[in-house]
């Protein structure tokens, strides 16, 4: 992975790179593991969730291995620059996170179960880093697609904060916001660890279990 040379700091809209009106690369058609289309529209009854938990290579694998997940793809979200390239995101001048988009069947894997996987797969107290990966693109985030997702994510954060406090961890720094534009990443990033089984995976949790039944309802 690439590391920015400047002190991690989110750019203002005026500081952010301008980007481009159209993507420079096409979206890969199908998931290399699941065989499902990456792009929408998705079949009726499926829902979408977006999670940022560090380098998206290992993060995406966590979700595609989960029963009830129909497809996954990686991209950039939470910043200012339209249609950014990977190198631009790594510069820290777009404001984006590295995000995994998860398309799932809520009758098989409810949204709270995906949140549990999200919290337990990384350290959400580290700010602009995850493990050895340092930069604004590695910050923890949940981008929600409904008011129910927003409420459920906030409740799960509050519940997990209690058990993290008991384990000696600091405040959760995860941003939980309604989803904005999702810009898909380059083809070589999609299902990277399937294409490169020995590739880098920086995903690692705190070892602290997230409570089950963390919030009522689902997505």
């Amino acid at each position: 992975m690439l590391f920015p040379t400047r002190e991690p700091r989110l750019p203002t809209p005026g500081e952010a790179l301008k980007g481009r009106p159209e993507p420079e690369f096409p979206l890969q058609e199908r998931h290399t593991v699941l065989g499902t289309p990456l792009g929408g529209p998705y079949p009726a009854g499926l829902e979408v969730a977006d999670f940022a938990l560090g380098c998206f290579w290992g993060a995406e694998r966590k979700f595609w291995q989960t029963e009830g997940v129909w497809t996954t793809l990686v991209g950039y979200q939470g910043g200012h620059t339209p249609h950014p390239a990977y190198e631009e995101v790594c510069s820290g001048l777009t404001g984006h996170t590295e995000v995994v988009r998860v398309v799932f069947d809520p009758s098989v894997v409810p949204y709270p179960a995906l949140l549990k996987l999200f919290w337990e797969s990384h350290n959400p107290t580290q700010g602009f880093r995850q493990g050895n990966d340092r930069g604004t693109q590695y910050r923890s985030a949940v981008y929600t697609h409904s008011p129910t997702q927003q409420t459920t994510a906030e409740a799960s954060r509050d519940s997990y904060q209690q058990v993290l406090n008991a384990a000696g961890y600091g405040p959760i720094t995860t941003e939980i916001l309604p989803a904005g534009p999702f810009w898909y990443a380059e083809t070589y990033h999609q299902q990277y660890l399937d294409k490169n089984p020995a590739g880098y995976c920086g995903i690692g949790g705190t070892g602290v279990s997230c409570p089950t039944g963390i919030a009522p309802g689902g997505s």
Side-chain angles (χ1 to χ4, degrees):
M1 304 296 287
L2 300 178
F3 298 85
T5 57
R6 61 198 283 274
E7 185 67 21
R9 177 179 66 82
L10 285 173
T12 66
E15 294 171 332
L17 299 176
K18 291 183 178 181
R20 49 197 60 81
E22 300 290 338
E24 289 190 319
F25 42 85
L27 176 62
Q28 176 182 302
E29 183 176 352
R30 291 191 172 270
H31 198 286
T32 61
V33 178
L34 302 176
T36 48
L38 297 194
Y42 302 115
L46 300 183
E47 298 182 12
V48 176
D50 295 330
F51 301 105
L53 52 157
C55 173
F56 51 20
W57 294 345
E60 185 187 16
R61 182 169 62 181
K62 284 282 187 181
F63 289 102
W64 86 53
Q65 291 175 337
T66 300
E67 184 179 2
V69 170
W70 188 78
T71 203
T72 61
L73 63 158
V74 297
Y76 314 114
Q77 200 168 8
H80 308 296
T81 303
H83 299 291
Y86 177 63
E87 292 77 10
E88 293 171 340
V89 172
C90 288
S91 75
L93 294 174
T94 72
H96 293 293
T97 56
E98 294 190 12
V99 168
V100 181
R101 171 153 288 184
V102 181
V103 182
F104 65 102
D105 183 344
S107 70
V108 179
V109 57
Y111 186 62
L114 295 177
L115 286 166
K116 178 177 172 64
L117 177 62
F118 164 76
W119 295 120
E120 293 181 354
S121 297
H122 75 303
N123 183 341
T125 70
Q126 293 187 311
F128 293 148
R129 60 182 284 258
Q130 194 58 219
N132 292 325
D133 293 329
R134 185 168 178 269
T136 57
Q137 74 271 28
Y138 299 119
R139 71 189 185 275
S140 175
V142 179
Y143 299 114
T144 61
H145 289 263
S146 69
T148 302
Q149 279 194 2
Q150 182 77 21
T151 301
T152 304
E154 291 172 350
S156 72
R157 174 199 59 203
D158 296 344
S159 294
Y160 197 41
Q161 183 68 73
Q162 295 180 38
V163 294
L164 286 176
N165 288 345
Y169 285 89
I172 288 174
T173 59
T174 305
E175 60 185 36
I176 302 176
L177 298 169
F182 173 89
W183 312 109
Y184 58 80
E186 294 84 343
T187 295
Y188 74 94
H189 289 303
Q190 307 296 338
Q191 298 88 65
Y192 179 86
L193 290 180
D194 178 55
K195 299 169 182 174
N196 302 274
Y200 172 81
C201 175
I203 293 300
T206 60
V208 179
S209 295
C210 182
T212 56
I214 49 181
S219 59

